[in-house]
Amino acid sequence: MKMIIHIFFILSLVSSTSFASVLDFCVADPKGPQNPSGYSCKNPDQVTENDFAFSGLAKAGNTSNIIKAAVTPAFAPAFAGLNGLDVSLARLDLAGGGVIPLHTHPGASEVLVVIQGTISAGFISSANKVYLKTLSRGDSMVFPQGLLHFQLNSGKGPALAFVAFGSSSPGLQILPFALFANDLPSELVEATTFLSDEEVKKLKGVLGGTN
């Protein structure tokens, strides 16, 4: 009896980290509840080949915005077949001068490959050391999980890259928006960033923050 309990305990741990460890797949059911491993599994009888294919990365994103860039994700549940497989994708389109600002993915590491143009990319370690590289077509770079990183179009024309993540839901927090696109009181932002009241209010105005 103890052996059976131990087996079920181990299986519960495995299934909490990856559905694929005990199932062939777990296609996301967006109508069901979520848990730390992802979405609930769709009824296998309702799964089709379309759940394992995604065409959303074929079209360029709209770069007519403040950062002159667009990120088109292929995450669960939109790409339902990725659920529980610890992998996902995204497309990065950067117009001239476009930038993906300093940001972090708390749930996954990232690998980028440049398809077109020139991209300056880098990340900052927990020891505040900067790793910066200018990437051309065919070049790749990895960004470790949870570390602040960025991508900047440093070429003369548009740039295109694809990225892969070690999670079907890597998460995202963009530093400038976290500081200036919400209602965090300006005096707290000033105290924690050493920026002046004028600078903070200007950035809040640009990014839509209040208070």
Side-chain angles (χ1 to χ4, degrees):
M1 184 65 181
K2 288 184 178 180
M3 180 64 71
I4 295 175
I5 293 174
H6 288 162
I7 291 173
F8 276 106
F9 176 71
I10 293 170
L11 287 175
S12 69
L13 291 177
V14 171
S15 63
S16 70
T17 57
S18 175
F19 290 121
S21 299
V22 292
L23 302 172
D24 287 341
F25 49 78
C26 176
V27 172
D29 179 3
K31 298 179 181 179
Q34 285 184 263
N35 60 59
S37 296
Y39 289 85
S40 300
C41 301
K42 188 176 181 180
N43 185 330
D45 293 335
Q46 298 176 349
V47 172
T48 73
E49 60 275 10
N50 292 329
D51 291 311
F52 301 101
F54 184 77
S55 59
L57 302 183
K59 183 179 179 181
N62 182 7
T63 58
S64 298
N65 51 58
I66 190 171
I67 62 174
K68 299 180 181 179
V71 178
T72 305
F75 300 165
F79 194 170
L82 292 178
N83 188 52
L85 299 182
D86 295 333
V87 65
S88 58
L89 300 164
R91 171 180 176 143
L92 307 184
D93 290 283
L94 297 99
V99 60
I100 307 297
L102 278 170
H103 64 283
T104 180
H105 303 288
S109 296
E110 172 184 344
V111 178
L112 174 144
V113 57
V114 178
I115 305 301
Q116 175 186 350
T118 303
I119 295 176
S120 293
F123 66 89
I124 304 170
S125 75
S126 57
N128 292 323
K129 182 174 181 179
V130 177
Y131 297 86
L132 176 64
K133 186 73 174 177
T134 298
L135 307 172
S136 300
R137 180 180 177 184
D139 291 340
S140 300
M141 188 169 184
V142 63
F143 307 95
Q145 180 175 342
L147 296 184
L148 286 167
H149 59 285
F150 68 91
Q151 293 92 21
L152 169 70
N153 183 351
S154 54
K156 296 182 179 180
L160 169 65
F162 287 93
V163 296
F165 300 96
S167 170
S168 56
S169 299
L172 171 66
Q173 185 172 40
I174 302 175
L175 183 58
F177 291 90
L179 289 170
F180 307 112
N182 53 41
D183 60 355
L184 184 64
S186 294
E187 58 268 23
L188 292 180
V189 179
E190 294 158 21
T192 56
T193 62
F194 307 110
L195 296 174
S196 69
D197 181 67
E198 181 181 358
E199 290 170 322
V200 169
K201 289 182 177 177
K202 179 181 179 179
L203 289 167
K204 278 180 171 283
V206 170
L207 297 178
T210 60
N211 207 4

